Amino acid sequence: MLDEKLLEILVCPKCKGKIVYSKEENKIICETCRLKYGVLNDIPIMLIDEAESY
Ligand SMILES: [Zn+2]
């Protein structure tokens, strides 16, 4: 489970905008860039190169 305080300070590395966390997918989502960032061992992988577009 991701720390909520961590989620509050996280921003999308591409647009510096707000992100949302999808519990079902266990992914961090930027709706502006339409990118999904993975989460590994409760650590968000905030890398544009590693993100998947949707
Ligand atoms: Zn973004």
Side-chain angles (χ1 to χ4, degrees):
M1 187 56 208
L2 273 181
D3 186 53
E4 282 185 24
K5 289 201 180 85
L6 176 64
L7 280 175
E8 279 174 27
I9 59 163
L10 275 183
V11 293
C12 171
K14 191 174 177 188
C15 67
K16 316 290 183 205
K18 271 201 103 177
I19 45 81
V20 291
Y21 173 59
S22 166
K23 270 182 197 163
E24 299 89 67
E25 295 185 83
N26 194 33
K27 286 195 160 88
I28 309 269
I29 298 169
C30 176
E31 292 173 338
T32 308
C33 304
R34 296 184 65 82
L35 285 173
K36 289 181 182 175
Y37 299 95
V39 179
L40 193 64
N41 299 327
D42 292 344
I43 311 284
I45 306 160
M46 304 307 285
L47 299 169
I48 298 165
D49 288 347
E50 302 281 319
E52 60 178 273
S53 53
Y54 69 100

